[in-house]
């Protein structure tokens, strides 16, 4: 329970992708807003210049204008200039924000929505591997970091670089020796920066991954709250979480240490160099090879440069974190979606309702590449309109087989055909319109019962037709309880709404599958949470609804098998036998073992009861 | 208000005066509670900041010294003076660097300590809260409280509380120097505080609402995201992708709009402050200019005042930034503190009692139960379950079977009456002790990320591998686990580790086996099992149940086969009670259910 995921993903792809290549991937998103970003950059630069200019202008106005020729007109003239400059500075700052923030927030949102869209289309197999907390942290904090960097970090990095270079050039004009000295000082900084980059990048990747894993831990602690509570394992779960939170803290602190040691270099080295420069400069002045004015100017420039040089440490750190955030983003965006519609989807000649599996194999490949075969060789034909039950022991691959029909998974080998067309040749949406599914774990969405049930219903129905469909589906699924809820069928359910019992959820999910009016219906043990009476009632209604709909239903009980025209027995990844319930019962021993509790156990029960 | 608000008005953006006052207060209280333990570090950091600044202030002074004093000395041949000045400069420079880096480490320690503290508080608290709360407060909300809300606190702390202190110190010192130069100009600068205050007040009132909205919208973004990702199979099967795209884009758009609005608000504050600063300088220039003409102010003093006045406003930027982060964090902590205010409805006893040798006898007396403030669900019943008895509870969906189970597991408390385990009210048992004796296995068999073995070991942390295997063997899960790619070490979240719903139930059964409690409650715990597996589990149960009390809820009467006693629940009442054969003979509800079940078998 503790941070297993962390080990999985936090190891991180530490391989060095150059910053430029990562940033290049931003280009399509940034390109449309580039003019605004450049505009913002110039405003930032302009604001900086005005801010620096105001004190100079002030001194000049007072010393050269007011002191020499004091008249009220002169005073107003000076005040006018300063007021004007004051407005210009404020305006430029205002404009910078106006130029930059909106587009940066736009890029953030575009990428966030794109991320979500991509995730929705990635195959189920992907989602089984990735905790939603880890994905969430990539969608929220990573992208908001990018926004801040775009709006502030990137811009300031450029502004600061320009300032430093300009300052350096000015230094050279005053004294080339001192300028050269100062430049030499940047060598150790560059070396340090190189190491800093490596250390910080690794730490920042680790911390972002750990934060994601922490979110996954939170998510599990909430989704698994019933288990935790009934076993009284709150403390253990907390300790696991705490351990993870502490390692995140440790990573953050080590990040801070790395940054602190870099900043130490960035502050101490230039200033030390300046100290040496001071000695040399004074010596030069006393020797007459340098003017006092130049020396003062040199240090004045150095003082101006010191601020952006120091800020660059922080900005570099921010840039590296952003790079990591982008890598994490693109890592998901680059995941290959191998379940997509083909370029030229095929439409079936006839929507017959036939479902056919030929030589189907399925294996879950694990990370080491070893394959765990679930389905070895499946050949199965479900005739149009027929209801076929799928029977087999737990873990025999029944659910996996069902997943292949609406193409939630792809077969490793062989073909699955719906209406005679290979599912891989179908347009995905069309295929899934043909098929409705009720899963064994019932997921309902945060909306009304009505919306949930009519989720897959044909879109072109009139209001009354929709109502009729809703009523019928709820009736067949024996979900009449919906009408007794506070807001009837408009009661909100799901995550954000009323929590229903397992049996209630299952009935709503069943109603949802029925209301979709599919030609092919796939039901995974749809009655498992129902009591005998309800099950009986559902079965009775279901049978009439199912006539004409090709149905594949996983059954654990004889009571569900009753629905079926034929039964297919799954064993060791193969279809062991196909036939009617009665037929299989009398001819197949494994079938009797799987489905019939009574025959075999009757004497035993009798003896129990008698005891 | 006697009862705290808690999460009641969490989605509200505009609050009444009283509500607003309360949520603000609890938010600041939480912030103070987090900051207080870090008092020493805070002081240390502020001292470091002051010294760092002092060392840096010394540097330009040293340069001035070098030109005014060292240079003439050197010209007179006193080279030692040069060495002294240069040396002092280098020492100060390195000191400034070391102090700065120390300060950064300290600030990070504060920020991380407070974050960890809050993380722990929220996590512990949500775990402590009763199931009743969790059933209405969604996981998406808790996740958003624990991720994006905490993030805002982090941003606030990274903004540098101590830098704020140094900014304030800087402002005060500069202001004093202006007063020293010319008190009238000082007064002018002080007047400028007025529009600054107005501007801040304006910003505060506007941003408060925006930031509060931001928390609500961001929680919605997160909830939507989490719901989609957890329900991805249904999303795909019912082709929700496009509708979800639109919905999410809409919510993400709201989030962006909200962000942009708060950026724009700050975009007025920041240049506004700069403008006020610049206009103050202009005002000083006008005021001073005429006094120069009068001859009542010296030109040199005037220049010094103007430059100082310009500098006074420089740290305003940082203060504004800090203030904005503070607003954002306060809004987030309003929500977090609301969550922390929620009290579990099922409370730990003040002075817990314990049971020396647990037998497993359960007695309900005059018990009345209803959910929350809702209607009574189970009205006044008595029930005695002897130690070691295996009791099957049957009845229709919604009849109250699960309620009975939840009461015994103490997920809920009775409204009145008593429930005792071995003559001790279960509400007087400590949570740890209660959970050791009473374990409930539910239908939804949740697996945590980690290996299969770890998931089973959740039943009894510290169990040996041998014991884990035995538990799995007892429920017939051993074989399929061995077939997984890495056997017991298979990560259930990794590719290839996926197990079916039935297998998950088997694993959670093994968990219960390992826990080995005196009272075992099975709430629909075998619903996804096939008949052979169910048989294996039942066989295992019979050995496990030996001298244990068991309450088994099942729709399938197959489970009843191993029961000593059957309770039929209908409309919140126990309507039949007796041994299976007695009830079958009595021809009541159970007999009818049993017949229906027998019919369903073939």
């Amino acid at each position: 329970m503790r941070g297993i995921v962390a080990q999985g993903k936090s190891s991180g792809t530490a391989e060095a992708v150059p910053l430029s290549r990562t940033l290049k991937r931003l280009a399509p998103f940034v390109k449309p807003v580039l003019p605004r970003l450049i505009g913002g950059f110039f405003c930032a630069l302009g604001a900086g210049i005005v801010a620096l200019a105001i004190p100079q202008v002030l001194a000049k106005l007072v010393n050269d204008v007011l002191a020499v020729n004091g008249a009220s007109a002169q005073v107003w003239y000076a005040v006018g200039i300063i007021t004007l400059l004051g407005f210009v500075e404020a305006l430029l700052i205002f404009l910078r924000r106006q130029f930059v923030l909106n587009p940066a927030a736009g890029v953030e949102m575009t990428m966030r929505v794109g991320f979500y869209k991509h995730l929705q289309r990635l195959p189920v197999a992907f989602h089984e591997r990735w905790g939603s907390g880890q994905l969430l942290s990539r969608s929220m904090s990573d992208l908001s970091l990018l926004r801040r960097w775009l709006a502030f970090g990137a811009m300031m990095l450029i502004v600061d670089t320009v300032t430093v270079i300009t300052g350096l050039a000015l230094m050279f004009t005053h004294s080339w020796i001192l300028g050269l000295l100062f430049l030499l000082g940047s060598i150790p900084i560059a070396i340090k920066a190189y190491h800093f980059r490596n250390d910080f990048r690794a730490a920042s990747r680790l911390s972002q991954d750990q934060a994601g894993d922490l979110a996954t831990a939170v998510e599990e602690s909430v989704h698994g709250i019933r288990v935790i509570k009934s076993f009284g394992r709150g403390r253990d779960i907390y300790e696991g979480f705490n351990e993870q939170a502490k390692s995140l803290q440790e990573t953050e602190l080590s990040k801070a240490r790395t940054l602190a040691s870099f900043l130490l270099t960035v502050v101490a080295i230039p200033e030390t160099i300046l100290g040496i420069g001071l000695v040399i400069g004074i010596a030069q002045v006393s020797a007459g090879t340098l003017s006092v004015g130049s020396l003062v100017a040199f240090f004045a420039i150095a003082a101006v440069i010191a601020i952006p040089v120091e800020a660059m440490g922080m900005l570099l750190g921010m840039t590296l974190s952003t790079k990591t955030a982008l890598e994490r983003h693109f890592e998901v965006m680059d995941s290959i979606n191998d379940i997509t519609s083909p370029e030229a989807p095929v439409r079936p000649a006839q929507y017959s309702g036939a479902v056919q599996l030929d030589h189907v194999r399925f294996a879950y490949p694990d990370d080491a590449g070893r394959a765990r075969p679930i389905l070895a060789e499946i050949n199965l034909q479900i005739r149009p309109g027929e209801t076929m039950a799928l029977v087999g022991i737990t873990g025999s691959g029944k659910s996996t087989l069902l997943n292949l029909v609406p193409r939630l998974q792809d077969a490793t080998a062989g073909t699955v055909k719906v209406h005679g067309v290979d599912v891989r040749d179908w347009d995905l949406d069309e295929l899934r319109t043909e098929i409705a599914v009720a899963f064994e774990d019932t997921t309902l969405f945060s909306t009304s019962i009505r919306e949930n049930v009519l989720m897959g219903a044909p879109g072109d129905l009139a209001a009354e037709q929709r109502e009729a469909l809703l009523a019928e589906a709820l009736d067949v699924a024996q979900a009449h309880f919906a009408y007794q809820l506070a807001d009837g069928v408009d009661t909100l359910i799901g995550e954000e709404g009323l929590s229903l019992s397992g049996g209630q959820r299952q009935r709503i999910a069943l109603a949802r599958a029925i209301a979709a009016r599919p030609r092919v219906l796939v039901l995974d043990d749809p009655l498992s949470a129902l009591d005998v009476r309800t099950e009986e009632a559902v079965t009775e209604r279901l049978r009439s609804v199912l006539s004409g709909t090709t149905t594949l239903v996983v059954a654990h009980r004889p009571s569900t098998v009753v629905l079926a025209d034929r039964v297919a027995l799954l064993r060791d990844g193969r279809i062991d036998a196909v036939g009617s319930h009665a037929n299989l019962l009398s001819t197949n021993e494994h079938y009797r073992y799987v489905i019939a509790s009574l025959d075999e156990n009757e004497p035993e029960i009798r003896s129990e009861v008698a005891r | 208000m006697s009862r705290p608000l808690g999460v009641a008005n969490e989605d509200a953006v505009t609050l009444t005066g009283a509500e607003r006052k309360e949520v603000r207060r609890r938010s600041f209280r939480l912030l103070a509670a987090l900051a207080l333990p870090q008092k020493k570090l805070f002081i240390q950091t502020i001292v470091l900041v002051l010294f760092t600044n002092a060392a840096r202030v010394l540097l330009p002074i040293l340069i001035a010294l070098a030109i005014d004093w060292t240079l003439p000395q050197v010209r007179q041949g006193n080279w030692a003076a040069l060495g002294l000045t240069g040396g002092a400069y280098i020492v100060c420079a390195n000191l400034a660097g070391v102090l700065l880096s120390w300060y950064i480490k300290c600030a990070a320690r504060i920020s991380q300590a407070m974050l960890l503290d809050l993380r722990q508080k929220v996590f512990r608290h949500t775990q402590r809260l009763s199931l009743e709360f969790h059933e209405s407060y969604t996981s998406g909300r808790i996740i958003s409280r624990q991720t994006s809300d905490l993030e805002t606190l982090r941003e606030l702390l990274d903004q540098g509380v101590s830098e704020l202190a140094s900014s304030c110190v800087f402002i005060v010192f500069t202001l004093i120097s202006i007063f020293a130069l010319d008190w009238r100009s000082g007064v002018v600068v002080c007047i400028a505080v007025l529009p600054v205050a107005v501007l801040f007040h304006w910003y505060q009132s506007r941003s408060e609402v925006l930031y509060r909205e931001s928390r609500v919208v961001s929680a919605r973004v997160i909830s939507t995201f989490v719901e989609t990702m957890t329900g991805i199979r249904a999303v795909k099967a019912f082709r929700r992708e496009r509708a979800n795209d639109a919905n999410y884009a809409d919510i993400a758009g709201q989030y962006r709009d909200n962000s942009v609005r708060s950026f724009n608000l700050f975009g007025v504050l920041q240049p506004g402050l700069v403008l006020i600063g610049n206009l103050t300088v202009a005002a000083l220039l006008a005021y001073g200019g005429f006094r120069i003409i009068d001859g009542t102010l010296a030109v040199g003093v005037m220049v010094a005042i103007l430059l100082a006045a310009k500098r006074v406003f420089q740290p305003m930027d940082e203060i504004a930034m800090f203030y904005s982060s503070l607003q954002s964090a306060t809004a987030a902590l309003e929500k977090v503190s609301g969550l922390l205010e929620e009290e579990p409805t099922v409370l730990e006893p003040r002075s817990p009692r314990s049971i020396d040798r647990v037998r497993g006898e359960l007695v309900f007396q005059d018990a009345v139960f209803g959910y929350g403030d809702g209607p009574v669900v189970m009205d006044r019943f008595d029930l005695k379950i002897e130690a070691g008895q295996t009791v099957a509870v049957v009845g229709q969906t919604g009849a109250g079977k699960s309620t009975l189970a939840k009461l015994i597991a103490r997920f809920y408390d009775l409204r009145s009456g008593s429930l005792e385990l071995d003559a001790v009210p279960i509400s007087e048992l400590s949570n740890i002790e209660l959970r050791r004796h009473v374990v409930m296995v539910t239908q939804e068999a949740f697996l945590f990320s980690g290996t299969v073995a770890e998931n089973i070991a959740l039943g009894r942390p510290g169990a040996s591998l041998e014991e884990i295997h035995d538990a799995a063997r007892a429920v017939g899960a051993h074989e399929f686990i061995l077939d997984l790619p890495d056997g017991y070490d298979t990560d259930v979240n990794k590719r290839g580790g996926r197990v079916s719903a039935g297998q998950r139930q088997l694993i959670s059964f093994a968990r219960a086996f390992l826990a080995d409690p005196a009272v075992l409650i099975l709430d629909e715990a075998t619903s996804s099992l096939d008949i052979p597996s169910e048989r294996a589990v039942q066989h295992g149960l019979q050995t496990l149940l030996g001298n244990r009390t068991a309450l088994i809820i099942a729709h399938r009467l197959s489970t009843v086969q191993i029961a000593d006693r059957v309770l039929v629940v209908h409309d919140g009442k126990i309507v039949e009670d007796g041994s299976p054969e007695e009830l079958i003979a009595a021809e009541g509800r159970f007999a009818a259910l049993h017949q229906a079940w027998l019919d369903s078998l073939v």
Side-chain angles (χ1 to χ4, degrees), chain B residues 473-508:
Chain B
R473 234 176 250 126
V475 298
H478 187 64
E479 281 68 33
F480 94 79
I481 295 175
L482 286 184
D483 278 348
L484 294 172
D486 294 313
Y488 280 86
D489 295 326
T490 307
D491 191 322
V492 293
N493 269 1
K494 288 279 173 62
R495 289 164 80 181
R498 194 178 144 68
V499 292
S500 73
Q503 290 170 332
R504 280 209 302 278
Q505 284 194 342
L506 286 179
I507 292 176
S508 65

Side-chain angles (χ1 to χ4, degrees), chain A residues 1 4-5 71-72 75 79 83 86 89-90 94 97-98 112 116-117 120-122 127-129 136 147-148 214 220-224 226-233 235-236 238 241-242 245 249 252 256 260 263-264 267-268 271-272 275 282 286 296 299 310 365-367 370 372 393-395 403 429 432-433 437 439-441 446 455 495-496 507 512 528-533 556-559 593-595 597 601 605 608-609, chain B residues 56 63 66-67 89 93-94 97-98 100-101 104 108 112 116 119-120 123-124 127 129 135 138-141 143 154 223 227-229 233 235-236 238-242 244-245 248 255 263-264 266-267 270-271 274 278 282 286 290 293 310 397 432 435 439-440 443-444 446 448-450 454-455 458-459 461 484-486 491 493-496 498 501 503 511 527-535 542 555-556 561 581 592 600-601:
Chain A
M1 325 310 85
I4 305 301
V5 195
S72 63
V75 173
V79 170
T83 309
E89 187 191 3
F94 177 78
R97 298 187 58 94
Q98 285 296 318
R112 181 169 290 145
Y116 177 87
K117 284 185 179 175
Q120 281 206 92
R121 276 134 189 110
L122 280 176
H127 289 274
E128 281 168 1
R129 270 181 295 140
L136 180 71
R147 192 240 310 138
R148 264 174 288 158
L214 202 62
E220 283 194 352
S221 79
V222 185
H223 283 142
R226 279 183 187 77
V227 174
I228 298 170
K229 282 210 180 280
S230 45
F231 284 88
R233 287 290 161 258
R235 190 170 293 186
D236 301 87
Y238 170 70
F241 169 83
N242 201 17
Q249 183 191 34
E252 287 291 341
L263 279 178
L264 169 63
V267 170
E271 293 287 1
T272 305
I282 295 284
S286 76
V296 172
F299 278 99
E310 193 188 320
D366 66 7
D367 286 334
R370 287 167 297 177
R372 176 158 72 97
I393 59 164
T394 301
N403 278 342
D429 258 14
R432 290 177 185 162
T433 311
V437 191
F439 300 104
E440 51 187 347
D441 41 4
S446 291
M455 198 155 267
E495 265 273 289
E496 293 278 339
R507 279 178 279 169
R512 175 172 66 185
S528 65
L530 305 187
D531 58 83
V532 182
R533 284 272 173 76
H556 282 141
R557 323 274 152 192
S559 49
Y593 166 70
V594 175
I595 203 83
S597 51
N601 279 358
I605 295 170
E608 296 260 334
V609 170
Chain B
R56 290 180 151 189
I63 293 172
I67 291 166
Y89 192 97
N94 282 288
V98 170
L100 175 71
S101 109
I104 288 174
Q112 288 304 315
L116 182 67
R119 280 207 175 100
Q120 291 171 334
F123 192 92
R124 251 192 326 235
Q127 286 297 317
L129 284 172
E135 274 169 3
T138 65
S139 58
R141 282 167 190 261
I143 294 167
R154 182 204 159 103
S223 293
E227 185 169 74
T228 305
M229 297 314 149
R233 291 202 318 153
V235 167
K236 286 176 178 290
F238 288 92
R239 312 174 306 285
R240 299 302 298 161
E241 293 98 332
R242 240 170 270 155
N244 282 351
D245 284 350
Y248 187 76
Y255 186 49
F263 295 153
N264 285 342
F266 189 73
Q270 194 189 26
V274 171
N278 287 340
F290 286 108
I293 297 172
K310 176 74 184 153
T397 313
I432 293 179
R435 301 300 166 204
V439 160
M440 171 153 147
Q443 178 186 21
E444 39 123 36
F446 189 85
F448 294 87
S449 57
E454 282 174 317
N455 266 292
L458 196 77
L484 294 172
D486 294 313
D491 191 322
N493 269 1
K494 288 279 173 62
R495 289 164 80 181
R498 194 178 144 68
Q503 290 170 332
R511 221 183 244 164
S527 64
S528 293
L529 295 184
D530 59 79
I531 290 167
S533 303
E534 195 178 8
R535 217 178 284 144
Q542 274 170 309
H555 297 310
R556 294 184 208 303
Q561 293 167 13
E581 49 272 34
S600 79
L601 285 179

Side-chain angles (χ1 to χ4, degrees), chain A residues 501, chain B residues 371 393 399-407 440 523-524 553:
Chain A
S501 78
Chain B
Y371 290 95
V393 184
K401 304 185 301 273
S402 290
T403 309
L404 201 59
K406 285 176 186 165
L407 286 174
M440 171 153 147
D523 188 0
E524 288 299 332
I553 298 172

Side-chain angles (χ1 to χ4, degrees), chain B residues 158-178:
Chain B
D158 285 355
Q159 206 59 250
V161 182
S162 353
E163 275 169 59
L164 178 78
S166 85
S167 298
C168 291
V169 170
F170 180 86
I171 290 178
V172 170
F173 276 117
T174 317
L175 207 57
I176 289 173
S177 74
I178 295 176

Side-chain angles (χ1 to χ4, degrees), chain A residues 63-140:
Chain A
N63 286 323
D64 297 0
V65 182
L66 289 183
V68 177
N69 186 6
S72 63
Q74 301 295 343
V75 173
W76 289 123
Y77 166 71
V79 170
I81 289 183
I82 292 301
T83 309
L84 185 70
L85 281 177
F87 269 104
V88 170
E89 187 191 3
L91 184 70
L92 285 172
I93 292 174
F94 177 78
L95 284 179
R96 179 186 78 77
R97 298 187 58 94
Q98 285 296 318
F99 269 129
V100 172
L101 282 167
N102 207 334
V107 169
E108 179 193 10
M109 180 197 138
T110 312
M111 290 179 75
R112 181 169 290 145
V113 173
F115 189 71
Y116 177 87
K117 284 185 179 175
H118 185 71
L119 279 178
Q120 281 206 92
R121 276 134 189 110
L122 280 176
V124 173
F126 173 89
H127 289 274
E128 281 168 1
R129 270 181 295 140
W130 286 73
S132 59
Q134 182 60 255
L135 295 174
L136 180 71
S137 88
R138 288 172 199 229
S139 129
M140 296 303 285

Side-chain angles (χ1 to χ4, degrees), chain A residues 3 20 39 51 78 93 164 169 174 187-188 234 293 360 396 501 512 524 590 600 604:
Chain A
S20 57
I93 292 174
V164 171
H174 287 292
I187 293 173
V360 166
S396 59
S501 78
R512 175 172 66 185
D524 197 347
H590 184 63
E600 207 174 324
E604 205 181 313

Side-chain angles (χ1 to χ4, degrees), chain B residues 63-116:
Chain B
I63 293 172
L65 191 75
I67 291 166
D68 296 342
W69 176 76
T70 316
L71 189 58
Q73 290 282 321
V74 169
R75 280 190 174 136
Q76 285 165 16
N78 182 4
W79 288 90
L82 181 58
L84 198 70
T85 318
Y89 192 97
I90 291 172
V91 167
C92 276
N94 282 288
L95 201 62
V98 170
L99 288 174
L100 175 71
S101 109
W102 191 1
Y103 150 70
I104 288 174
K105 282 185 262 186
C106 273
R109 271 171 62 198
I110 294 181
S111 144
Q112 288 304 315
M114 284 173 71
L115 277 175
L116 182 67

